[in-house]
Amino acid sequence: LKEHSTSTWGVIHIDTERENQLKKMMTTLIADRNLGTGDQLGCDVYIIGGYNDERSTSAGITNVIMKYMISESDITFDLKIVCAGDINTKTMSRPRRLDYPAPIHYGAAVNARTGQVFPAKFDVHGPDKDIRGLKHFLSLIYSSKTGKVTIPAFEYDVISSAHLWLEQSDEFILEHMSTSPKVEPEHFCNDMRNTFKRMISDPEPLKTVFKNSQDRVYRLNDDTGEWELENADLFETSERSKQSHTTFSVKDFIHSVKK
């Protein structure tokens, strides 16, 4: 999404047929607008990633987005790209099994200066991925104004069977935890296991992960190009936590985009 008057960009991954994710993004995009009488809000829209999956999940989400834009009377939406449905679907074959549909493009990036939107793959997904995986609908963690990534303090329910999930096969995890098990990226199962490991190691996150209920704030180190946790000495860190807080450098970003 690109807001017309300020040229502010917002990028969001939508994985539910509820409108709340999109509405939250719109609220953030127009928060700094000083509207005068008769001023009209407007946004360019780029929809990328949905495909003709076997459960019709993508079609349902795309329909919700379209209906929201049609029904929103206070904002004008200019639809620039829709890379979804048939145009973003390919057929995959497996020996002795039925063919199945898969997306051509999984993700995208935008050059905020030029306005170019293009397919992209990211091998690294930023700090605290295992922690973020425990929060439903966690969004808007990066601020272009401060240049910081903020993981807001939150609590999560600990699943009593978390340790059992760590023993399950990739096939079992895909079947029970994915809406599109045949086309998940290679890192999906490991991401899920890391999330369960975090749940087990930190059952009371406001005491350990978010020491004294403090947000985890990361600032980019201009010299090293790495995300560094502010006030790191205030947070209780186990050996496993140290391993999971892998830094994400500018070099990683550039390398992943080039792929």
Coordinates of all heavy atoms in Angstrom, one line a residue, residues 207-247:
K207 N 8.7 -12.1 32.4 CA 9.8 -12.2 33.4 C 11.2 -12.4 32.8 O 12.2 -12.1 33.4 CB 9.5 -13.2 34.5 CG 8.3 -13.0 35.3 CD 8.1 -14.1 36.4 CE 6.8 -13.8 37.2 NZ 6.6 -14.9 38.2
T208 N 11.2 -13.1 31.6 CA 12.4 -13.4 31.0 C 12.7 -12.8 29.7 O 13.6 -12.0 29.5 CB 12.5 -15.0 30.9 OG1 11.4 -15.5 30.2 CG2 12.5 -15.6 32.3
V209 N 11.8 -13.2 28.7 CA 11.9 -12.6 27.4 C 11.8 -11.1 27.3 O 12.6 -10.4 26.8 CB 10.9 -13.3 26.4 CG1 11.0 -12.7 25.0 CG2 11.1 -14.8 26.3
F210 N 10.7 -10.6 28.0 CA 10.5 -9.2 28.2 C 10.7 -8.8 29.6 O 9.7 -8.7 30.4 CB 9.1 -8.8 27.7 CG 8.7 -9.3 26.3 CD1 8.0 -10.4 26.1 CD2 9.2 -8.6 25.2 CE1 7.6 -10.9 24.9 CE2 8.9 -9.0 23.9 CZ 8.1 -10.2 23.8
K211 N 11.9 -8.7 30.0 CA 12.3 -8.4 31.4 C 11.5 -7.3 32.0 O 11.5 -6.2 31.4 CB 13.8 -8.1 31.5 CG 14.3 -8.1 32.9 CD 14.4 -9.6 33.5 CE 15.1 -9.6 34.8 NZ 15.1 -10.9 35.4
N212 N 10.8 -7.5 33.1 CA 9.9 -6.5 33.7 C 9.0 -5.9 32.7 O 8.7 -4.7 32.7 CB 10.8 -5.4 34.3 CG 11.7 -5.9 35.4 OD1 11.3 -6.8 36.2 ND2 12.9 -5.4 35.5
S213 N 8.5 -6.7 31.8 CA 7.4 -6.3 30.8 C 8.0 -5.2 29.9 O 7.2 -4.4 29.3 CB 6.2 -5.8 31.5 OG 5.6 -6.8 32.3
Q214 N 9.3 -5.2 29.6 CA 9.8 -4.2 28.7 C 9.8 -4.7 27.2 O 10.0 -5.9 27.0 CB 11.3 -3.9 29.1 CG 11.4 -3.2 30.4 CD 12.9 -2.8 30.6 OE1 13.4 -1.8 30.2 NE2 13.6 -3.7 31.3
D215 N 9.5 -3.8 26.3 CA 9.6 -4.2 24.9 C 11.0 -4.5 24.5 O 12.0 -4.0 25.1 CB 9.1 -3.0 24.0 CG 7.6 -2.7 24.2 OD1 6.9 -3.5 24.8 OD2 7.2 -1.6 23.8
R216 N 11.2 -5.4 23.5 CA 12.5 -5.7 23.0 C 12.7 -4.7 21.7 O 12.0 -4.9 20.8 CB 12.6 -7.1 22.6 CG 12.4 -8.1 23.7 CD 12.5 -9.5 23.3 NE 13.8 -9.9 22.8 CZ 14.8 -10.4 23.5 NH1 14.7 -10.5 24.8 NH2 15.9 -10.7 22.9
V217 N 13.6 -3.8 21.8 CA 13.9 -2.8 20.8 C 15.2 -3.1 20.2 O 16.2 -3.1 20.9 CB 13.8 -1.4 21.4 CG1 14.0 -0.4 20.3 CG2 12.4 -1.2 22.1
Y218 N 15.2 -3.1 18.8 CA 16.5 -3.3 18.1 C 16.8 -2.1 17.3 O 15.9 -1.5 16.6 CB 16.4 -4.6 17.2 CG 16.4 -5.9 17.9 CD1 15.3 -6.4 18.5 CD2 17.6 -6.6 18.0 CE1 15.3 -7.7 19.1 CE2 17.7 -7.8 18.6 CZ 16.5 -8.3 19.2 OH 16.6 -9.5 19.9
R219 N 18.1 -1.7 17.3 CA 18.6 -0.6 16.5 C 19.6 -1.1 15.5 O 20.5 -2.0 15.9 CB 19.1 0.5 17.4 CG 19.7 1.7 16.6 CD 20.5 2.6 17.5 NE 19.6 3.2 18.5 CZ 18.9 4.4 18.2 NH1 19.1 5.0 17.0 NH2 18.2 4.9 19.1
L220 N 19.6 -0.6 14.3 CA 20.6 -1.1 13.3 C 22.0 -0.4 13.6 O 22.0 0.9 13.7 CB 20.2 -0.7 11.9 CG 21.0 -1.3 10.8 CD1 20.8 -2.9 10.8 CD2 20.5 -0.8 9.4
N221 N 23.0 -1.2 13.8 CA 24.4 -0.6 14.0 C 24.9 -0.2 12.6 O 25.1 -1.0 11.7 CB 25.3 -1.7 14.6 CG 26.6 -1.2 15.0 OD1 27.3 -0.6 14.2 ND2 27.1 -1.5 16.2
D222 N 25.2 1.1 12.5 CA 25.6 1.6 11.2 C 27.0 1.1 10.8 O 27.3 1.0 9.6 CB 25.7 3.1 11.2 CG 24.3 3.8 11.4 OD1 23.3 3.1 10.9 OD2 24.2 4.9 11.9
D223 N 27.8 0.7 11.8 CA 29.2 0.2 11.5 C 29.2 -1.2 11.1 O 29.9 -1.6 10.2 CB 30.1 0.4 12.7 CG 30.3 1.9 13.1 OD1 30.3 2.7 12.1 OD2 30.3 2.2 14.3
T224 N 28.4 -2.1 11.7 CA 28.4 -3.5 11.4 C 27.3 -4.0 10.6 O 27.3 -5.0 10.0 CB 28.3 -4.3 12.8 OG1 27.1 -4.1 13.4 CG2 29.5 -3.9 13.7
G225 N 26.2 -3.1 10.4 CA 25.1 -3.5 9.6 C 24.2 -4.6 10.3 O 23.5 -5.3 9.6
E226 N 24.3 -4.7 11.6 CA 23.6 -5.7 12.4 C 22.5 -5.1 13.3 O 22.7 -4.0 13.8 CB 24.5 -6.6 13.2 CG 25.5 -7.4 12.3 CD 26.5 -8.2 13.2 OE1 26.6 -7.9 14.4 OE2 27.1 -9.2 12.7
W227 N 21.4 -5.8 13.5 CA 20.4 -5.4 14.5 C 20.9 -5.7 15.9 O 21.2 -6.9 16.2 CB 19.1 -6.1 14.2 CG 18.4 -5.6 13.0 CD1 18.4 -6.3 11.8 CD2 17.7 -4.4 12.8 NE1 17.7 -5.6 10.8 CE2 17.3 -4.4 11.4 CE3 17.5 -3.3 13.6 CZ2 16.5 -3.3 10.9 CZ3 16.7 -2.3 13.1 CH2 16.3 -2.3 11.7
E228 N 20.9 -4.7 16.8 CA 21.4 -4.9 18.1 C 20.3 -4.6 19.1 O 19.6 -3.6 19.0 CB 22.6 -4.1 18.4 CG 23.8 -4.4 17.5 CD 25.1 -3.6 17.8 OE1 24.9 -2.5 18.6 OE2 26.2 -3.9 17.4
L229 N 20.2 -5.5 20.1 CA 19.1 -5.3 21.1 C 19.6 -4.2 22.1 O 20.6 -4.2 22.7 CB 19.0 -6.6 21.9 CG 17.9 -6.6 23.0 CD1 16.5 -6.4 22.5 CD2 18.0 -7.9 23.8
E230 N 18.7 -3.2 22.2 CA 19.0 -2.1 23.1 C 18.8 -2.6 24.6 O 18.0 -3.4 24.9 CB 18.0 -0.9 22.9 CG 18.2 -0.2 21.6 CD 17.4 1.0 21.4 OE1 16.5 1.2 22.3 OE2 17.6 1.8 20.5
N231 N 19.7 -2.1 25.5 CA 19.7 -2.4 26.9 C 19.7 -4.0 27.0 O 19.0 -4.5 27.9 CB 18.5 -1.9 27.6 CG 18.4 -0.4 27.5 OD1 19.4 0.3 27.7 ND2 17.2 0.2 27.2
A232 N 20.6 -4.6 26.3 CA 20.6 -6.1 26.3 C 21.0 -6.6 27.7 O 20.5 -7.7 28.0 CB 21.7 -6.5 25.3
D233 N 21.7 -5.9 28.5 CA 22.1 -6.4 29.8 C 20.9 -6.5 30.7 O 21.0 -7.1 31.8 CB 23.2 -5.4 30.4 CG 22.7 -4.0 30.5 OD1 22.1 -3.5 29.5 OD2 22.9 -3.4 31.5
L234 N 19.8 -5.8 30.4 CA 18.6 -5.9 31.3 C 17.8 -7.1 31.0 O 16.9 -7.4 31.8 CB 17.7 -4.6 31.0 CG 18.4 -3.3 31.3 CD1 17.4 -2.2 31.0 CD2 18.9 -3.2 32.8
F235 N 18.0 -7.8 29.9 CA 17.2 -9.0 29.6 C 18.0 -10.3 30.0 O 19.2 -10.4 29.8 CB 16.9 -9.0 28.1 CG 16.1 -7.9 27.7 CD1 16.6 -6.7 27.3 CD2 14.7 -8.1 27.6 CE1 15.8 -5.7 26.9 CE2 13.9 -7.1 27.2 CZ 14.4 -5.8 26.8
E236 N 17.2 -11.2 30.6 CA 17.7 -12.5 31.0 C 17.9 -13.3 29.8 O 17.0 -13.5 29.0 CB 16.8 -13.2 32.0 CG 17.3 -14.5 32.5 CD 16.4 -15.1 33.6 OE1 15.9 -14.3 34.4 OE2 16.1 -16.3 33.5
T237 N 19.1 -13.8 29.5 CA 19.4 -14.5 28.3 C 20.1 -15.9 28.6 O 21.1 -15.9 29.2 CB 20.4 -13.7 27.4 OG1 19.9 -12.4 27.3 CG2 20.6 -14.3 26.1
S238 N 19.4 -16.9 28.1 CA 19.9 -18.3 28.3 C 20.8 -18.5 27.1 O 20.9 -17.8 26.1 CB 18.8 -19.3 28.3 OG 18.1 -19.3 27.1
E239 N 21.5 -19.7 27.1 CA 22.4 -20.0 26.0 C 21.5 -20.2 24.7 O 21.9 -19.9 23.6 CB 23.2 -21.3 26.3 CG 24.2 -21.7 25.2 CD 25.3 -20.6 25.1 OE1 25.6 -19.9 26.1 OE2 25.8 -20.4 24.0
R240 N 20.3 -20.8 24.9 CA 19.5 -21.0 23.7 C 19.0 -19.7 23.1 O 18.9 -19.5 21.9 CB 18.3 -21.9 24.1 CG 17.7 -22.6 22.9 CD 16.2 -23.1 23.2 NE 15.3 -21.9 23.3 CZ 14.9 -21.3 22.3 NH1 15.2 -21.6 21.1 NH2 14.0 -20.3 22.4
S241 N 18.7 -18.8 24.0 CA 18.3 -17.5 23.6 C 19.3 -16.8 22.8 O 19.0 -16.1 21.8 CB 17.9 -16.6 24.8 OG 16.8 -17.2 25.5
K242 N 20.6 -16.9 23.2 CA 21.7 -16.3 22.5 C 21.7 -16.8 21.1 O 22.0 -16.0 20.1 CB 23.0 -16.5 23.2 CG 23.2 -15.8 24.5 CD 24.5 -16.1 25.2 CE 24.7 -15.5 26.5 NZ 26.0 -15.8 27.1
Q243 N 21.5 -18.1 20.9 CA 21.6 -18.7 19.6 C 20.4 -18.2 18.7 O 20.5 -18.1 17.5 CB 21.6 -20.2 19.7 CG 22.8 -20.8 20.4 CD 22.7 -22.3 20.6 OE1 21.7 -22.9 20.3 NE2 23.7 -22.8 21.3
S244 N 19.2 -18.0 19.4 CA 18.0 -17.7 18.6 C 18.0 -16.2 18.2 O 17.3 -15.8 17.3 CB 16.8 -18.0 19.4 OG 16.7 -17.2 20.5
H245 N 18.8 -15.4 18.9 CA 18.8 -13.9 18.6 C 19.8 -13.6 17.5 O 20.7 -12.7 17.7 CB 19.1 -13.1 19.9 CG 18.0 -13.3 20.9 ND1 18.3 -13.1 22.2 CD2 16.7 -13.7 20.8 CE1 17.2 -13.4 22.9 NE2 16.2 -13.7 22.1
T246 N 19.8 -14.3 16.4 CA 20.8 -14.1 15.4 C 20.5 -12.8 14.7 O 19.4 -12.4 14.5 CB 20.6 -15.2 14.3 OG1 20.7 -16.5 14.9 CG2 21.6 -15.0 13.2
T247 N 21.6 -12.0 14.5 CA 21.5 -10.7 14.0 C 21.2 -10.8 12.5 O 21.5 -11.7 11.8 CB 22.8 -9.9 14.2 OG1 23.9 -10.7 13.7 CG2 23.0 -9.6 15.7

